[in-house]
Amino acid sequence: MLRQPVLRRILPGMLVSSLGDGMSMVAVAWLAVQIAPPDQAGVWTGLAVAAYALPAPIGAAVLARLVRRMRAAHLVAADASVRAVALGAVAVLALAGLLEPVAYVALLAVSSLLHAWGNAGAYTLVAEVLPEEEDRLTGNALLSTFAQAAFVVGPALAGGLTALVGPGWVIGVDALSFAVLAVAGWTVPAPRAAAVEVAPAEPAAGGWRTIADRPRLLGLIAVTCAFFFLYGPVEVALPVHVAHGLHGSPGLLGLYWTVFGVGATVGALGAALLRHRRPWPVVVGIIVGWGAALLPLGLTDAVVPGLVGLTLGGLVYGPFTAISTALFQRDTPPAALSRVLAARTALTTPATALGTLLGGPVVAAVGGRHTLLISAVLTIALGAGAAAVLRLARFGRRPARTRNGRRTSTMRA
């Protein structure tokens, strides 16, 4: 990968911006707590966290006509530019003492409008530069490793900086990290080979039509959305379980997420080792493995089994993004890849948020530990169901003998 001039130019910017994004996990919520009225801190914190992620599906749909013809590197740069400007405005207003909650939420929403396209551009760039499928999986693994490593390092770094200089400065650093990525993306030279011309009807179809016309992609998105939805309640249940069930401290909660992040980083790095495996069975194995890893948290109040389970869960989950993205890169026409990946992000991003919203009432009804157990069992069931569908699909493609003894496929068009 490092022999590719384009990747040598843009990968450092992606690494820096991922670290900045990891820092924002702490700073965005902490700044909301500081500027919100004391009796509305919970409401504004929830709105701020949601605004930093949820508008991405809106941007994927509304801004499609403006950005879908942009090169992959420029999609990354456009997303980074919008984030740098919007987060920079947040930092300046916060440091000047002029930031109001409504303006804060609005600026965070603007910053995430192009996130689906930026994410799609990053993985489309990997597919453009690395034509071999095995090399693409390595590239996908490196990008997902950046995100997982930032999940480990970023919050810890942001916690220290926030205590020293305040959340406004931390968000300013985040804005600067995206500015670095924007410069790297805008200065990537055009590819030497001419891009494949898109037929006039193809842009009108867009990513949604491409997905609808390919049952395997549609099935992968459906499974991914269900997987992320079932993960959503974990983000609510784990803090409640630690605080009320284990009577633990915030430090213990941080330890749970840290061991998950470490496991996920190692797992993402190891995704390239799976490049000779069939992708769909690996995806199913990851789903079942994550559900099994949650069982110690749902079945016992003991801390050590829960930490071990979450570490193994991160290790199992780590390759998921790289493997699933490789399936999209393989089955999507190159001219439509960025639009398809943007549509995928637009669908999968809200899935986790909806799961988190549902997790609140479920935790209130049955408690944190039982919610974790429900999530574990349903996730294992999802993986088992996907495995059964795959088995039926393979059975349907088996050749059958005709009367004259020749073999013919039983799969229908």
Side-chain angles (χ1 to χ4, degrees):
M1 289 182 60
L2 297 180
R3 287 197 297 267
Q4 303 292 334
V6 170
L7 295 181
R8 281 203 309 269
R9 180 188 295 267
I10 204 167
L11 282 177
M14 290 182 177
L15 176 60
V16 170
S17 67
S18 294
L19 182 60
D21 235 5
M23 295 171 64
S24 69
M25 293 178 62
V26 172
V28 166
W30 200 260
L31 182 58
V33 172
Q34 284 191 345
I35 67 173
D39 58 338
Q40 299 177 16
V43 173
W44 286 108
T45 300
L47 288 173
V49 173
Y52 196 58
L54 284 183
I58 300 174
V62 175
L63 302 178
R65 290 183 178 275
L66 296 177
V67 302
R68 66 187 178 189
R69 290 186 177 273
M70 295 176 67
R71 293 194 291 116
H74 288 176
L75 286 174
V76 175
D79 175 40
S81 299
V82 171
R83 288 203 172 222
V85 172
L87 295 176
V90 168
V92 170
L93 291 173
L95 295 175
L98 301 175
L99 187 63
E100 297 293 332
V102 174
Y104 182 42
V105 170
L107 286 170
L108 290 176
V110 170
S111 75
S112 66
L113 274 176
L114 286 179
H115 176 61
W117 289 102
N119 181 272
Y123 288 102
T124 302
L125 185 63
V126 168
E128 290 177 354
V129 176
L130 303 172
E132 296 294 330
E133 185 173 344
E134 293 181 1
D135 293 336
R136 290 177 181 178
L137 182 56
T138 303
N140 298 341
L142 188 58
L143 294 187
S144 59
T145 299
F146 287 170
Q148 300 297 348
F151 187 77
V152 178
V153 179
L157 184 59
L161 288 176
T162 300
L164 288 174
V165 298
W169 284 103
V170 176
I171 292 178
V173 172
D174 189 17
L176 182 61
S177 74
F178 280 109
V180 172
L181 177 58
V183 171
W186 288 122
T187 56
V188 167
R192 293 180 182 178
V196 178
E197 292 296 330
V198 180
E202 190 169 355
W208 309 101
R209 178 67 60 83
T210 303
I211 293 171
D213 290 342
R214 287 164 172 78
R216 286 190 297 185
L217 295 185
L218 190 61
L220 180 57
I221 285 184
V223 170
T224 303
C225 287
F227 183 31
F228 288 3
F229 176 79
L230 292 175
Y231 162 79
V234 174
E235 294 194 349
V236 180
L238 185 59
V240 174
H241 175 57
V242 170
H244 296 163
L246 304 180
H247 304 289
S249 66
L252 179 59
L253 177 61
L255 180 60
Y256 273 111
W257 286 124
T258 298
V259 297
F260 167 79
V262 171
T265 302
V266 175
L269 280 172
L273 300 176
L274 302 172
R275 60 184 180 273
H276 298 302
R277 303 277 185 178
R278 288 186 298 160
W280 261 109
V282 173
V283 168
V284 170
I286 289 172
I287 294 173
V288 173
W290 168 251
L294 288 178
L295 289 176
L297 286 167
L299 292 173
T300 178
D301 286 334
V303 172
V304 173
L307 289 173
V308 173
L310 214 51
T311 304
L312 294 176
L315 185 67
V316 169
Y317 171 77
F320 182 81
T321 300
I323 298 292
S324 61
T325 303
L327 283 168
F328 276 89
Q329 292 166 334
R330 186 186 68 183
D331 295 340
T332 303
L337 183 57
S338 63
R339 299 196 295 275
V340 167
L341 291 178
R344 178 193 67 164
T345 303
L347 290 170
T348 56
T349 297
T352 302
L354 291 174
T356 303
L357 290 175
L358 178 64
V362 174
V363 169
V366 302
R369 183 162 69 86
H370 289 149
T371 301
L372 291 167
L373 181 60
I374 292 171
S375 177
V377 172
L378 291 180
T379 301
I380 293 172
L382 171 66
V389 171
L390 285 177
R391 186 175 180 84
L392 289 174
R394 285 199 301 271
F395 179 79
R397 289 194 297 269
R398 285 181 179 177
R401 289 191 179 274
T402 61
R403 293 181 179 179
N404 59 8
R406 294 180 180 179
R407 289 185 178 270
T408 182
S409 174
T410 59
M411 181 181 66
R412 297 182 178 179

